[in-house]
Amino acid sequence: GECSAFKERFMECLRRSGYESAACRQSAKAYLECRMDRQLMANEPLEKLGFKDLINEKSEEKPEK
């Protein structure tokens, strides 16, 4: 549950957007970064995950657990 706040933010975005994932890319990026930072998934370059255009944008503020 270390990244559950990021997951919930992403899922809420999907619900609000009618499950249009393109509208929630920033939330998806933040969720994946959380998982990689905590070694819950293998580290992958964000470019490889499809976020090349968002790399210079700061991720959403990381909430405390």
Side-chain angles (χ1 to χ4, degrees), residues 2-60:
E2 294 179 47
C3 297
S4 61
F6 290 98
K7 181 181 117 186
E8 288 305 315
R9 195 175 296 150
F10 174 62
M11 294 305 295
E12 179 59 31
C13 180
L14 286 176
R15 285 188 285 273
R16 282 193 320 264
S17 69
Y19 295 91
E20 186 64 44
S21 62
C24 302
R25 291 182 68 234
Q26 189 65 32
S27 296
K29 177 180 169 273
Y31 174 59
L32 293 175
E33 286 177 321
C34 176
R35 291 186 51 82
M36 287 188 284
D37 289 347
R38 289 164 178 79
Q39 297 163 355
L40 299 171
M41 67 178 276
N43 276 324
E44 293 287 341
L46 291 172
E47 298 93 344
K48 188 175 177 182
L49 297 174
F51 297 103
K52 184 175 183 176
D53 60 321
L54 298 180
I55 289 174
N56 291 329
E57 294 181 26
K58 186 177 180 184
S59 292
E60 295 176 30

